[in-house]
Amino acid sequence: MSGAEAFVPTPLLLSDSARKRINALIAEENNPSLKLRVYVTGGGCSGFQYGFDFAENVADDDTVIEFGNAALVVDPLSYQYLVGSTVDYEEGLAGARFRIQNPNATTTCGCGASFMV
């Protein structure tokens, strides 16, 4: 890489299990325009917390990352905290949930729902 090239951060990634779950939810709702909105808010036991919602509408400044029929939507403020992260979906004894594997987090809480950078 020459000195003139800028480093471009990796956008969000989507695990196979998360992609399958998003596609299943889209099929259940019979609405192919649904996208999984991933966002960060203040709070939680570690400073910031992750949030998930299904969105049909996308704002002009949102980033949309498509993975076939599944897509993620992230607002600009949240995107800066999520670059390089992987959105995953897991089912276990604690229930079923989407979760974030975030390489930017310096501290996370035990349940993985909040983090600090």
Side-chain angles (χ1 to χ4, degrees):
M1 182 159 84
S2 71
E5 294 176 357
F7 174 73
V8 178
T10 305
L12 272 73
L13 303 172
L14 189 65
S15 72
D16 286 342
S17 61
R19 183 183 46 77
K20 288 175 186 172
R21 183 62 182 151
I22 292 169
N23 285 331
L25 291 168
I26 288 169
E28 284 176 25
E29 293 295 319
N30 196 24
N31 186 350
S33 64
L34 286 178
K35 297 164 184 50
L36 181 65
R37 180 173 290 282
V38 182
Y39 58 92
V40 172
T41 59
C45 49
S46 293
F48 294 103
Q49 59 188 4
Y50 302 113
F52 302 94
D53 193 9
F54 273 94
E56 221 174 344
N57 300 322
V58 177
D60 290 339
D61 60 349
D62 283 340
T63 298
V64 177
I65 306 166
E66 295 183 354
F67 301 89
N69 294 334
L72 300 176
V73 178
V74 185
D75 64 86
L77 181 63
S78 298
Y79 189 85
Q80 66 184 333
Y81 295 109
L82 296 171
V83 169
S85 296
T86 300
V87 177
D88 194 13
Y89 180 77
E90 64 182 13
E91 294 181 14
L93 296 176
R97 65 184 176 144
F98 287 102
R99 67 177 280 162
I100 302 284
Q101 297 169 356
N102 188 342
N104 305 309
T106 57
T107 305
T108 59
C109 68
C111 68
S114 68
F115 70 103
M116 183 181 300
V117 289

